[in-house]
Amino acid sequence: MTGEARMTTAGDPVEERLRRWRLVLGGDAADGTGHALSGQDAAIDDALTALYGKDDTPRTGRERAGGLGASAPSVARWLGDIRTYFPTSVVQVMQRDAIDRLGLGTLLLEPEMLEAVEADVHLVGTLLSLTKAMPETTRETAREVVRKVVEDLERRLATRTRATLTGALDRSARVRRPRHHDIDWNRTVAANLRHYLPDHGTVVPERLVGYGRASRSVRKEVVLCVDQSGSMASSVVYAAVFGAVLASMRAVATRLVVFDTEVVDLTERLDDPVDVLFATRLGGGTDINRALAYCQSRITRPADTVVVLISDLYEGGIRDGMLKRVAAVKASGAQFVSLLALSDEGAPAYDREHAAALAELGAPAFACTPDLFPEVMAAAIEKRPLPIPDAGAAGPDSPR
């Protein structure tokens, strides 16, 4: 147990181990601990039983057979209990399990329930999948929950993203023969230290380093093409946040396109990622070929464009067409990045055959955490090898 649930039993390590095993095993007569719970331990056990008590395995003795039912008051009390006994990270996992195991998603349509939950990326994904059924009285509360999560993500990710990409943009725009007012004197001096003349106390700048006039205008175009099928919920949330951060950089022209079997361009909403998220519709089919066709039609400067496809690659459209689109984008001179997921959820499920085909085209697909995304984009902007995690790339030799 962790957080506030962490307790000691009179300093006896044996008793403490028995206590922990009793909480894990749930009090079945066969658990072998012989440890009785009381006080806060009993309340913690009740909270765990309510969520994890029921399964399909017959038991003897005292079964852990709780359940939250469909009662909003009992769920609200349970949410309060787990926030008392467990740290936030554990609360978020338990909430997610409650939605998946006990079918409590519909209760999130009630404003009082939304106010009781611990907001995180997974909850946002669930809310977005319920927007069609969400009554107007709940919608504003849901927007506030989503906004809280989005603002937290922006605070965590924005500064590093801007710093990393600004450096990449500067390096990609560097020129060898800059005009006088475009000379980067710091880098010029650093590049010419070998030509220092001690007698004169100066450096002879044999090589000038600077930035072209393009440094004051848009230098790169980024197209985020995001699969909004139900399994990609967390990726959609992170993509909306990163899209808003990129759109705030004057040197980057950012386009955000989401798709299922239809394609929707949400670029005009990028000033508010919450609006972006509520304009998506999680679920439905997938037509990657159609989405890439739209993105390809919007590329005006291929040599300065990075296309990022975020999808599990389960194509419902024309497979050969999708691969031809990718090949055409790369042949035009644009950089192409294929992410199986943009989230912290670990290894995603994905279409291995399509991933292997992309790898053969020189566009290996891999899962990317939000913390790695700025480095991936910086590498793509500078046209250098992508920082692909060792276990995350999907290529021809990947296990099938």
Side-chain angles (χ1 to χ4, degrees):
M1 306 299 292
T2 58
E4 295 182 38
R6 181 178 294 160
M7 301 174 63
T8 59
T9 308
D12 186 338
V14 175
E15 283 296 309
E16 176 63 9
R17 281 198 297 272
L18 288 173
R19 167 187 168 271
R20 289 169 179 260
W21 276 113
R22 164 61 183 81
L23 287 168
V24 169
L25 295 172
D28 190 295
D31 71 13
T33 65
H35 188 88
L37 299 178
S38 61
Q40 181 170 294
D41 282 349
I44 292 172
D45 189 58
D46 287 342
L48 292 170
T49 297
L51 177 55
Y52 300 111
K54 289 186 176 181
D55 58 32
D56 298 326
T57 304
R59 298 188 178 199
T60 59
R62 178 178 178 267
E63 292 187 353
R64 178 179 263 189
L68 299 175
S71 166
S74 66
V75 174
R77 284 193 299 271
W78 179 79
L79 288 169
D81 287 344
I82 64 174
R83 292 173 75 169
T84 299
Y85 302 134
F86 301 98
T88 299
S89 58
V90 176
V91 169
Q92 292 172 347
V93 171
M94 293 180 73
Q95 287 179 170
R96 198 184 324 157
D97 287 348
I99 292 170
D100 294 340
R101 292 168 61 93
L102 305 178
L104 300 182
T106 53
L107 287 179
L108 296 177
L109 300 179
E110 302 181 23
E112 60 272 20
M113 290 301 301
L114 285 180
E115 293 169 356
V117 296
E118 190 73 40
D120 69 344
V121 170
H122 304 94
L123 177 65
V124 170
T126 300
L127 290 177
L128 296 179
S129 68
L130 296 172
T131 51
K132 290 182 181 178
M134 193 174 290
E136 196 60 38
T137 54
T138 306
R139 190 172 297 273
E140 191 55 39
T141 305
R143 287 185 70 88
E144 290 306 312
V145 171
V146 173
R147 187 171 298 282
K148 178 179 181 296
V149 173
V150 166
E151 289 176 351
D152 286 345
L153 291 176
E154 283 187 300
R155 279 192 293 270
R156 178 165 71 87
L157 301 172
T159 300
R160 181 164 171 264
T161 300
R162 292 192 185 100
T164 301
L165 268 63
T166 296
L169 289 163
D170 288 346
R171 288 187 293 272
S172 69
R174 194 175 301 164
V175 297
R176 294 182 179 274
R177 289 179 150 183
R179 299 168 184 257
H180 182 270
H181 55 273
D182 289 327
I183 296 173
D184 185 331
W185 287 108
N186 288 333
R187 287 197 174 99
T188 295
V189 170
N192 291 276
L193 287 176
R194 71 183 68 179
H195 306 303
Y196 177 67
L197 301 178
D199 294 341
H200 295 82
T202 189
V203 170
V204 177
E206 291 190 1
R207 183 168 68 88
L208 299 177
V209 179
Y211 309 101
R213 292 181 179 274
S215 64
R216 297 189 183 90
S217 59
V218 172
R219 297 200 296 272
K220 292 291 179 180
E221 297 182 4
V222 174
V223 181
L224 300 176
C225 185
V226 186
D227 184 342
Q228 63 176 351
S229 57
S231 60
M232 301 295 294
S234 294
S235 297
V236 172
V237 175
Y238 281 114
V241 172
F242 278 117
V245 173
L246 293 174
S248 71
M249 301 176 64
R250 290 193 302 173
V252 181
T254 306
R255 183 176 295 277
L256 176 63
V257 176
V258 298
F259 67 92
D260 42 33
T261 53
E262 302 293 328
V263 179
V264 181
D265 193 328
L266 298 177
T267 303
E268 297 302 319
R269 297 175 181 256
L270 276 175
D271 59 327
D272 187 346
V274 176
D275 279 349
V276 168
L277 291 173
F278 275 90
T280 62
R281 53 177 192 181
L282 293 177
T286 308
D287 193 336
I288 304 173
N289 176 57
R290 185 173 185 177
L292 289 178
Y294 176 84
C295 294
Q296 186 181 17
S297 71
R298 295 303 185 270
I299 296 175
T300 58
R301 296 187 298 142
D304 294 318
T305 298
V306 178
V307 177
V308 183
L309 172 65
I310 305 175
S311 173
D312 54 17
L313 303 179
Y314 288 109
E315 172 66 308
I318 305 172
R319 176 185 183 274
D320 290 342
M322 174 189 75
L323 298 176
K324 288 178 181 178
R325 295 285 181 194
V326 174
V329 168
K330 289 180 62 64
S332 71
Q335 300 297 298
F336 189 89
V337 179
S338 179
L339 302 182
L340 300 170
L342 177 57
S343 72
D344 288 311
E345 294 183 344
Y350 62 93
D351 189 305
R352 295 178 180 272
E353 183 179 352
H354 289 163
L358 287 179
E360 291 174 357
L361 292 175
F366 59 99
C368 179
T369 65
D371 289 337
L372 181 62
F373 186 73
E375 303 296 337
V376 170
M377 292 304 301
I381 286 171
E382 295 183 73
K383 300 183 180 180
R384 53 184 171 84
L386 302 178
I388 300 175
D390 291 339
D397 298 325
S398 298
R400 292 174 182 269

